[in-house]
Amino acid sequence: MEPNISMHAVSVTASVRQALRALNDLSGETMTLFALDGDGVLCGTVTDGDIRRALISGASLDDTVCRVMHRDFRALRPGDDAFTILPRLRGQGIILVPVLDAEGRIQDLIDLRTARTRLPIDAVLMAGGRGERLRPLTLETPKPLLEIGGKPIIDYNIEELAACGVDNIFVTVNYLREQIERHFSVPVAGVRVRCVAEPARLGTIGSLALIEGFTHDDVLVMNSDLLTTLDFEKMFAHHRRTGALLTVAAVPYTVSVPYAIMQTEGERITGLAEKPTFNYFANAGVYMMRRECITRITPGLPLDAPDFIEALIADGAEVAYFPVEGTWIDIGSPDDFRYANELMSRRARLLQG
């Protein structure tokens, strides 16, 4: 739950006694107050430690907050790179980080106990497929809304994105779209998700060209029916570090051959590989891309992700990959569905104690 700004606000003209009462009211919350002037501009922070040190130095309970507040506070200001700054603030033991506007007024509070980061990206979840391999489960329910561990599949991904500070999220819909639109008529994980309807089936990535309202230079695109512990923060850092136009999440895939494989040259056998194992990376259905990539997609024409990636490579664009660590389940068959359901149900029971 996002911290309540008003609960943490105190006037610079309030007394130290009033500030102590306000801190006491924060019991169970992060006990930090933000001292604001008459125009709502942040002037300093106040903790019980600040008050204790001031009282030892001779301040009284009737003095104003202005005397005891800490003026060298940390905050995010317009233009700051939150992705870089927040880990540093977390390392300094700071829990609540105010987000200021150009005038210095608090627009938001980031609680670093629950918000791992604030990624400067938009996100698009593709939810237009028919889920035919999961029939009859998907005859009346769109695949993204099938429940795994008591929760719709798509909500796991929305929650993970929200925890990374991503709040501009789109879902492209087609099959049984009314159900998905109804599902997102209320916020999920505190995020107002916007649905974009495909006029026709546009492949696995063609619907990107329909979306208006991107606010960042990078966009995360993913299949909505994946269950994964992919670290979006690490993937974005990798994407930024490589300077790639497109970064593809990649799942390690091993093929073991139970026979001796012949190495040949013409009609001659030049060697034998006994029961070899081949290691590959498979497309995980998650992409981090520069927004300029989307201008290469023709609105209204179907386009699948493999064709899009190959076209970028053919044009000489930098395309990178990022290995997935941990869980990755493409819920494409009844067996996958049962396994994912057992996995998340077990996890839910453990979290409940």
Side-chain angles (χ1 to χ4, degrees), residues 136-147:
L137 293 174
T138 53
L139 286 175
E140 297 183 356
T141 303
K143 184 177 173 183
L145 294 187
L146 292 178
E147 291 198 353

Side-chain angles (χ1 to χ4, degrees), residues 99-169:
V99 181
L100 308 182
D101 64 14
E103 285 73 40
R105 299 182 181 88
I106 299 177
Q107 301 300 298
D108 193 11
L109 287 178
I110 301 175
D111 188 338
L112 293 180
R113 294 172 304 177
T114 56
R116 293 195 297 276
T117 185
R118 180 160 286 199
L119 295 179
I121 63 173
D122 302 309
V124 180
L125 281 71
M126 301 298 189
R130 302 178 68 87
E132 293 178 347
R133 290 182 295 165
L134 278 176
R135 289 186 174 184
L137 293 174
T138 53
L139 286 175
E140 297 183 356
T141 303
K143 184 177 173 183
L145 294 187
L146 292 178
E147 291 198 353
I148 296 290
K151 184 189 303 181
I153 299 169
I154 194 171
D155 283 5
Y156 287 100
N157 296 314
I158 298 293
E159 290 173 358
E160 187 66 18
L161 289 166
C164 292
V166 182
D167 58 9
N168 194 36
I169 302 176

Side-chain angles (χ1 to χ4, degrees), residues 43-264:
C43 300
T45 58
V46 182
T47 66
D48 56 354
D50 294 323
I51 293 176
R52 184 171 60 253
R53 286 185 289 271
L55 292 174
I56 291 173
S57 299
S60 77
L61 293 177
D62 294 321
D63 283 332
T64 65
V65 164
C66 191
R67 176 168 180 181
V68 304
M69 68 185 184
H70 182 69
R71 300 173 187 272
D72 186 22
F73 57 87
R74 301 291 185 268
L76 286 179
R77 296 172 172 81
D80 283 348
D81 182 2
F83 177 69
T84 301
I85 294 173
L86 290 180
R88 189 160 63 240
L89 297 183
R90 182 182 285 108
Q92 295 171 2
I94 294 173
I95 296 175
L96 279 186
V97 182
V99 181
L100 308 182
D101 64 14
E103 285 73 40
R105 299 182 181 88
I106 299 177
Q107 301 300 298
D108 193 11
L109 287 178
I110 301 175
D111 188 338
L112 293 180
R113 294 172 304 177
T114 56
R116 293 195 297 276
T117 185
R118 180 160 286 199
L119 295 179
I121 63 173
D122 302 309
V124 180
L125 281 71
M126 301 298 189
R130 302 178 68 87
E132 293 178 347
R133 290 182 295 165
L134 278 176
R135 289 186 174 184
L137 293 174
T138 53
L139 286 175
E140 297 183 356
T141 303
K143 184 177 173 183
L145 294 187
L146 292 178
E147 291 198 353
I148 296 290
K151 184 189 303 181
I153 299 169
I154 194 171
D155 283 5
Y156 287 100
N157 296 314
I158 298 293
E159 290 173 358
E160 187 66 18
L161 289 166
C164 292
V166 182
D167 58 9
N168 194 36
I169 302 176
F170 301 87
V171 174
T172 62
V173 295
N174 185 300
Y175 178 67
L176 298 177
R177 75 184 198 193
E178 295 82 4
Q179 293 186 40
I180 300 176
E181 290 169 343
R182 188 163 54 249
H183 178 74
F184 287 116
S185 63
V186 296
V188 173
V191 177
R192 175 69 69 178
V193 178
R194 286 176 279 180
C195 293
V196 177
E198 295 179 332
R201 296 184 68 181
L202 296 176
T204 55
I205 212 162
S207 58
L208 276 182
L210 302 175
I211 298 174
E212 298 178 354
F214 290 124
T215 58
H216 295 93
D217 291 331
D218 292 283
V219 181
L220 176 80
V221 181
M222 67 181 296
N223 298 336
S224 64
D225 50 11
L226 296 175
L227 192 64
T228 180
T229 55
L230 170 64
D231 191 321
F232 295 129
E233 183 178 4
K234 287 183 179 179
M235 185 176 181
F236 176 74
H238 180 81
H239 174 69
R240 175 182 279 188
R241 184 172 60 253
T242 62
L245 195 63
L246 173 73
T247 299
V248 182
V251 181
Y253 190 79
T254 299
V255 178
S256 297
V257 181
Y259 310 107
I261 298 299
M262 294 184 292
Q263 300 162 351
T264 62

